[in-house]
């Protein structure tokens, strides 16, 4: 990201301070540290209690610091409880529950437990006050469905608990995942399977990532929130023309367990209560392209201008898009840049800006054709339509309507360290781009001209047809 300065507080080892210092040292970055006060004022909970009750603050301070009288550190175990029925709970987790003063978890997990105290809670902000105020709790267990290491809330819980109490003894215990249970029921191994979860994540991009996994893998296991997610999966498979077998494990390990096999058409209308996990078999799984490029013929165009494939591919190389990047495509045209960028990796988020209605209609059609769920179309002129959109990592500008400088100034006022790629065919745009490069003291500047001539092999006259030359500017601001 071409960072030159890092400002950080002295957060200590747990806050990642050591890693930050190592990183800036290796990268030659100037680091500005906000240090801790030499002396921190204030009272601990014990000291405050002593002041209020008159039992002696100094006594509490002495007790806290005296290893012979201090109470043992709070023990917290984060445990995977398996699919839900206690028959699949590991002996290690069962023992932890038996020894616990209190158990936290959703009602389904704790309802049948015989423990001194149990709380229907799954958020750290609800549990921490209980752990702080109830001094009888010295050994707590927090339960999570499935395996604590597979799309579980355990990782976030661990981080929040350690931030709250650095002295607590926190341990994580694994559990049996519903994926492994379903695989066993089906007699399928998941050595090469894709594993994913859309549980609690209902958005087009998440569904698009799942479709990408299904497209390129024979076996995909997915955790879902319920039957509505199954219907969404079925509809999306139908829209993409992907015929797959879908195995549904419902209430696995419970007495009313069921395993059903459906096709996308049936899945699109599926309705059933219960805890569901799905296995999707795609017997026609494709091989992913080593170089994921599209020809011009792959796009619906009509009369809308389009960045030609040679220029498009070179521009995408210069954009140097990374996993998880936010990309702006300004002057979307047919959406060819956006769609090809979206196909590089489903984790990339593309915002396509286009002001002409005809072009917007074409972009929507091309998005549907290619199933590019990670593209968001913004109708309107830039920079007016940038408000409320998350800041980009990469910006491609293929058309600016004469507002190139204004666009760049607006984006730069919000974020720096962005890679820009600008295509120019007019002298006016070339001059304005150079003024931006010099005015902002751009780094990693690359400027090239591409001129492509094509030959129609089907024609009797094998003559080259020249296309307009295009200037490609690539730089970081």
């Amino acid at each position: 990201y071409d960072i030159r300065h890092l400002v950080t507080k002295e957060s200590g080892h747990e806050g990642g301070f050591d890693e930050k210092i190592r990183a800036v040292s290796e990268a030659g970055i100037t680091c500005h540290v906000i240090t801790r006060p030499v002396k921190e004022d204030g009272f601990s909970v014990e000291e405050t209690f002593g002041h209020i009750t008159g039992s002696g603050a100094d006594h509490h301070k002495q007790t806290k610091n005296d290893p012979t009288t201090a109470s043992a550190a709070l023990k917290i175990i984060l445990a995977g409880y398996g699919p839900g029925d206690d028959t699949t709970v590991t002996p290690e987790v069962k023992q932890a529950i038996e020894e616990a003063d209190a158990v936290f978890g959703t009602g389904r997990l704790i309802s049948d437990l015989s423990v001194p105290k149990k709380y229907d809670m799954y958020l750290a902000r609800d549990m921490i006050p209980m752990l702080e105020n109830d001094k009888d709790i010295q050994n707590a267990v927090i339960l999570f469905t499935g395996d604590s290491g597979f799309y579980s809330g355990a990782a976030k819980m661990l981080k929040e608990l350690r931030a709250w109490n650095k002295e607590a003894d926190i341990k994580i215990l694994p559990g049996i995942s519903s994926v492994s249970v379903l695989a066993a029921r089906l007699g399928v191994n998941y050595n090469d399977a894709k594993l994913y979860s859309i549980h609690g994540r209902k958005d087009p991009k998440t569904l698009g990532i799942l479709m990408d996994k299904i497209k390129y893998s024979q076996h995909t296991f997915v955790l879902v929130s319920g039957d509505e997610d199954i219907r969404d999966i079925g509809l999306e498979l139908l829209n993409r023309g992907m015929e797959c077998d879908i195995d549904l494990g419902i209430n696995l390990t419970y007495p009313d367990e069921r395993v059903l096999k459906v096709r996308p058409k049936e899945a699109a209308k599926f309705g059933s209560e219960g805890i569901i996990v799905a296995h999707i078999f795609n017997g026609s799984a494709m091989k992913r392209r080593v170089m994921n490029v599209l020809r011009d013929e792959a796009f619906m165009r009509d009369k809308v201008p389009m960045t030609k494939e040679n220029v498009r591919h070179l521009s995408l190389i210069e954009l140097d898009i990374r996993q998880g990047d936010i990309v702006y495509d300004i002057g979307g045209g047919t959406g060819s840049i956006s769609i090809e960028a979206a196909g590089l990796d489903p984790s990339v988020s593309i915002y396509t800006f286009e002001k002409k209605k005809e072009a917007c209609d074409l972009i929507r059609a091309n998005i549907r054709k290619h199933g590019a769920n990670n593209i968001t179309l913004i109708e309107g002129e830039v920079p007016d339509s940038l408000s409320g959109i998350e800041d980009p990592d990469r910006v491609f500008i293929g058309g600016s309507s004469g507002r190139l400088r204004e666009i760049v100034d607006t984006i730069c006022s919000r974020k720096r360290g962005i890679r820009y790629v600008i295509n120019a065919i007019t002298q006016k745009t070339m001059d304005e781009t150079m003024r931006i490069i010099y005015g902002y003291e751009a780094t990693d500047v690359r400027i090239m001209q591409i001129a492509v001539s094509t030959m129609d092999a089907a024609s009797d006259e094998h003559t080259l047809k020249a296309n307009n030359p295009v200037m490609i500017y690539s730089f970081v601001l």
Side-chain angles (χ1 to χ4, degrees):
Y1 296 100
D2 294 320
I3 296 169
R4 299 173 187 173
H5 295 267
L6 173 73
V7 181
T8 179
K9 66 180 180 180
E10 188 181 9
S11 54
H13 176 72
E14 291 293 338
F17 182 73
D18 298 344
E19 288 91 339
K20 294 176 188 176
I21 295 303
R22 278 199 299 272
V24 297
S25 298
E26 292 170 3
I29 296 168
T30 302
C31 186
H32 309 268
V33 181
I34 302 170
T35 60
R36 294 176 177 270
V38 176
K39 179 181 178 183
E40 295 183 350
D41 296 323
F43 299 104
S44 68
V45 173
E46 292 86 353
E47 290 169 331
T48 304
F49 179 83
H51 282 293
I52 294 173
T53 62
S55 59
D58 292 337
H59 168 73
H60 283 277
K61 183 184 289 187
Q62 181 180 355
T63 301
K64 180 181 177 182
N65 296 324
D66 186 349
T68 63
T69 59
S71 60
L74 173 64
K75 292 183 179 179
I76 304 174
I77 292 178
L78 312 181
Y81 196 73
D85 187 79
D86 62 3
T87 57
T88 54
V89 180
T90 67
E92 189 178 26
V93 172
K94 285 183 177 179
Q95 182 180 348
I97 293 172
E98 290 171 1
E99 297 174 353
D101 302 317
V103 177
F104 299 83
T106 60
R108 176 171 67 86
L109 297 182
I110 66 173
S111 60
D112 295 330
L113 297 181
S114 297
V115 292
K117 298 178 181 179
K118 53 186 177 182
Y119 300 97
D120 185 357
M121 297 177 179
Y122 57 91
L123 297 176
R125 66 169 179 260
D126 297 325
M127 298 179 195
I128 288 173
M130 303 297 296
L131 296 171
E132 280 182 334
N133 299 324
D134 191 341
K135 300 305 178 184
D136 292 332
I137 302 177
Q138 292 296 310
N139 197 346
V141 172
I142 302 173
L143 298 179
F144 300 87
T145 56
D147 177 30
S148 54
F150 180 63
Y151 289 102
S152 168
K156 181 181 178 183
M157 182 68 69
L158 176 66
K159 183 178 180 181
E160 292 178 309
L161 290 176
R162 281 183 171 164
W164 160 65
N165 186 343
K166 292 181 174 58
E167 304 301 321
D169 179 9
I170 305 176
K171 184 179 180 181
I172 297 180
L173 299 181
I176 296 175
S177 170
S178 55
V179 165
S180 62
V181 175
L182 180 59
R185 298 289 191 269
L186 299 173
V188 173
N189 70 58
Y190 49 103
N191 296 345
D192 301 319
K194 299 298 181 183
L195 309 179
Y196 197 55
S197 173
I198 60 173
H199 184 279
R201 301 190 295 169
K202 192 171 180 61
D203 61 85
K205 182 178 177 182
T206 298
L207 195 58
I209 293 173
L210 174 60
M211 291 299 120
D212 182 80
K213 292 179 182 295
I214 296 169
K215 182 178 180 180
Y216 295 107
S217 176
Q218 282 197 333
H219 297 279
T220 303
F221 289 86
V222 56
L223 305 180
V224 301
S225 300
D227 56 2
E228 184 178 357
D229 284 351
I230 299 300
R231 291 193 291 273
D232 288 343
I233 291 171
L235 285 171
E236 193 67 23
L237 289 172
L238 287 174
N239 291 337
R240 293 170 181 250
M242 297 168 63
E243 281 298 327
C244 303
D245 290 323
I246 306 171
D247 299 300
L248 303 178
I250 304 170
N251 294 335
L252 293 176
T253 74
Y254 285 101
D256 59 345
E257 171 186 305
R258 289 183 296 153
V259 177
L260 306 176
K261 187 182 291 292
V262 297
R263 299 285 283 177
K265 190 174 181 179
E266 298 167 286
K269 300 176 181 178
F270 180 77
S272 176
E273 294 184 356
I275 307 157
I276 304 173
V277 60
H279 164 254
I280 302 168
F281 175 74
N282 181 6
S284 302
M286 298 177 64
K287 291 183 178 180
R288 193 182 294 275
R289 287 190 177 99
V290 177
M291 290 188 65
N292 193 19
V293 296
L294 296 173
R295 298 294 186 185
D296 287 345
E297 295 76 20
F299 301 97
M300 291 180 277
R301 182 179 176 186
D302 201 12
K303 298 179 181 179
V304 175
M306 179 175 72
T307 304
K308 298 297 196 315
E309 62 185 53
N310 306 89
V311 178
R312 182 172 66 247
H313 297 158
L314 192 53
S315 297
L316 286 168
I317 290 171
E318 291 301 314
L319 272 175
D320 191 24
I321 297 171
R322 311 293 175 91
Q323 286 183 329
D325 271 355
I326 310 297
V327 181
Y328 285 2
D329 176 8
I330 298 174
T334 61
S336 62
I337 285 282
S338 292
I339 288 165
E340 191 138 7
L344 296 175
D345 194 277
S347 69
V348 176
S349 296
I350 317 289
Y351 290 93
T352 307
F353 300 86
E354 177 56 58
K355 65 177 184 177
K356 296 178 180 178
K357 184 182 183 307
E358 178 188 5
C360 288
D361 291 341
L362 260 181
I363 291 171
R364 290 191 187 93
N366 278 316
I367 288 174
R368 286 193 298 272
K369 178 181 178 181
H370 293 274
N373 297 51
N374 48 341
I375 297 177
T376 301
L377 173 62
I378 308 294
E379 286 194 63
E381 191 167 334
V382 183
D384 307 332
S385 55
L386 290 176
S387 178
I389 308 297
E390 55 188 327
D391 295 337
D393 303 293
R394 303 287 189 268
V395 174
F396 173 79
I397 303 177
S400 61
S401 300
R403 303 178 70 180
L404 179 60
R405 183 58 186 251
E406 191 180 351
I407 292 169
V408 173
D409 287 346
T410 300
I411 297 173
C412 282
S413 69
R414 291 166 46 174
K415 183 181 177 181
R416 300 298 296 270
I418 299 169
R419 174 164 290 282
Y420 292 78
V421 171
I422 298 174
N423 286 178
I425 58 173
T426 68
Q427 190 64 49
K428 181 181 178 182
T429 304
M430 297 176 199
D431 292 342
E432 187 67 24
T433 303
M434 291 305 300
R435 283 193 288 269
I436 290 169
I437 289 171
Y438 288 120
Y440 274 101
E441 298 182 353
T443 59
D444 198 11
V445 179
R446 290 166 56 87
I447 302 172
M448 66 191 80
Q449 182 193 74
I450 178 170
V452 179
S453 297
T454 58
M455 180 184 292
D456 185 359
S459 172
D460 292 335
E461 297 181 6
H462 293 170
T463 56
L464 289 170
K465 179 182 177 182
N467 293 299
N468 292 333
V470 178
M471 294 293 295
I472 301 177
Y473 298 85
S474 171
F475 52 88
V476 175
L477 297 182

